[in-house]
Amino acid sequence: MRQVDETSRRAVDAAVRWLDTHHGSGPQQQTMRILKVTEEAGEAASAWIGVQGQNPRKGVTHTPREVADELADVALASFVAIRSLGFDPAEVLTAKAAKVLDRMAAHGGTSAGVDA
C-alpha cells in the first residue's frame, strides 16, 4: 500500500480551502467536518447492507466496489477533518499505523515495520 499520493493530498487541501472560503474555519466548522465522517460512514454501512441484500423490500442494491468507494469517501472526509484541525493527515495516519503495529506485535501479531 502506498503512502497518501499527491492527488489525494491535493484533493484534501483543495476541499479544506473551499470549505474555509465558503463556511469559515472555526470550531463549529471543525465540528461539521468531523460529523461529515460519520455521515459518510453511514453511507458505507448502507451500501454494505445493499451488497448483502438485507433490506427485503430492495434486495441487492450495491456492489462491493460501491462499498469501497463509500469507504474512500470516509477516508477523504477524515483527512479533511484532520487537516482542518491543523494536522497533516499522512503524518497522523502513519503515526497511528505504527501504534497499531506495535500493539499487534505486543500481542503476538506480526509487525512488518513502517517506512517513515
Side-chain angles (χ1 to χ4, degrees):
M1 195 165 63
R2 300 182 316 213
Q3 290 183 351
V4 175
D5 64 50
E6 187 60 26
T7 301
S8 299
R9 184 181 301 275
R10 285 184 13 240
V12 168
D13 289 345
V16 170
R17 281 192 305 274
W18 187 83
L19 289 167
D20 287 353
T21 298
H22 288 85
H23 300 293
S25 60
Q28 180 179 0
Q29 290 308 311
Q30 291 170 325
T31 300
M32 298 310 294
R33 295 171 197 183
I34 292 167
L35 291 174
K36 181 69 173 173
V37 176
T38 303
E39 177 191 16
E40 296 295 349
E43 291 177 12
S46 179
W48 186 245
I49 288 169
V51 167
Q52 300 299 310
Q54 288 299 301
N55 183 329
R57 185 175 52 82
K58 295 180 180 178
V60 174
T61 59
H62 290 78
T63 66
R65 176 55 197 228
E66 290 171 318
V67 175
D69 287 343
E70 294 295 346
L71 290 169
D73 285 344
V74 174
L76 287 169
S78 296
F79 279 15
V80 167
I82 291 167
R83 172 66 77 205
S84 296
L85 293 172
F87 300 99
D88 181 282
E91 289 176 11
V92 171
L93 180 60
T94 298
K96 181 56 72 172
K99 288 180 183 180
V100 167
L101 288 172
D102 288 346
R103 280 196 307 264
M104 289 175 60
H107 295 287
T110 58
S111 173
V114 176
D115 294 333

